[in-house]
Amino acid sequence: SIESLRDEARALLDRVYRRYVLVPKVEDIRLSIVRHFLTLSSASILLLCMVVVNYLSAAVPLLQPIQIAYLSAAVSGLLGATASTLFRLQKLDLRREPLMQWLSLKNGETSLWLSPVLGALFGLVLFLLFRSGVLTGSMFPNASNEAFRMANERWCTGNSTCTDRHRDYTALLLWCFIAGWAERFVPDVLDRLANQAKSRPAKS
């Protein structure tokens, strides 16, 4: 009937209008979040580079190697969480339900900003697990003070000890990045540790 055709035409025009209006809005919100995340990541990397250059060049460095390792763990976790969030944002299909995507981005912007904060926190927690000896093995870094102490000349190159320290530092950056990327990695480890702690008194 004519009425049903009119209703279908109105519904089709509504969908076209929502897509025409909302898709640019969703893209604007996504680009704004991406810019802020890239700015935060760039500032974090710049801060870490400045601290490392200060240690290598200054007569009295601001931070010691183990403190630089803590900062590196936080920055690496932040970068992992930021990369994961940006990857999810890029996977959004703006042609499907632009209204729902606009609402989710608009209302969930605060939770998106919590992602790099949690990534930095998870990187620090994972480094503490390495430092305490809870997580050990050939795949994990040696997080003792000696492992992150530079050579006397600071530019640590050319011997096996320096190679081991570089390997430990690289492994630390990699695992802390994974801790930020995989949001459930550190919470799952903590849950397993908590379950083990609960089961020990019962066995005794």
Side-chain angles (χ1 to χ4, degrees):
S1 63
I2 298 297
E3 289 299 326
S4 63
L5 289 176
R6 288 176 179 172
D7 292 339
E8 290 181 4
R10 290 193 191 96
L12 181 60
L13 287 174
D14 287 341
R15 293 185 61 185
V16 172
Y17 178 75
R18 286 199 302 269
R19 182 171 297 180
Y20 176 77
V21 172
L22 290 175
V23 167
K25 296 291 185 183
V26 174
E27 185 65 28
D28 289 342
I29 295 176
R30 184 169 68 172
L31 288 178
S32 176
I33 296 172
V34 169
R35 289 193 192 100
H36 285 92
F37 272 42
L38 291 178
T39 301
L40 177 63
S41 302
S42 301
S44 302
I45 295 174
L46 180 61
L47 173 62
L48 181 59
C49 291
M50 290 175 60
V51 169
V52 173
V53 170
N54 170 263
Y55 178 81
L56 294 175
S57 60
V60 181
L62 294 175
L63 299 178
Q64 295 303 311
I66 194 62
Q67 296 170 329
I68 296 176
Y70 276 107
L71 178 62
S72 302
V75 171
S76 185
L78 182 146
L79 293 178
T82 300
S84 177
T85 303
L86 293 179
F87 181 73
R88 291 198 301 268
L89 285 174
Q90 288 301 114
K91 288 177 62 178
L92 288 178
D93 187 2
L94 302 184
R95 297 171 296 178
R96 297 185 58 186
E97 297 295 339
L99 177 60
M100 297 303 297
Q101 292 187 11
W102 180 79
L103 289 174
S104 63
L105 287 178
K106 197 69 177 177
N107 298 328
E109 195 168 357
T110 303
S111 63
L112 287 176
W113 276 107
L114 285 176
S115 178
V117 176
L118 290 176
L121 179 61
F122 289 158
L124 286 174
V125 171
L126 186 63
F127 184 45
L128 291 176
L129 292 175
F130 292 147
R131 292 270 293 166
S132 64
V134 174
L135 291 180
T136 57
S138 59
M139 295 178 60
F140 301 131
N142 175 17
S144 63
N145 288 343
E146 290 295 330
F148 293 103
R149 183 171 298 165
M150 304 296 182
N152 295 331
E153 65 274 12
R154 292 189 184 174
W155 292 96
C156 187
T157 56
N159 56 59
S160 60
T161 303
C162 292
T163 302
D164 292 338
R165 290 170 183 170
H166 292 161
R167 183 257 177 201
D168 290 326
Y169 187 73
T170 305
L172 173 67
L173 295 179
L174 176 61
W175 279 107
C176 291
F177 185 91
I178 293 174
W181 176 277
E183 297 176 351
R184 292 300 311 169
F185 178 73
V186 171
D188 288 342
V189 172
L190 295 178
D191 288 339
R192 286 197 293 270
L193 293 176
N195 293 330
Q196 291 177 4
K198 290 179 181 178
S199 62
R200 284 179 182 176
K203 292 180 180 180
S204 60

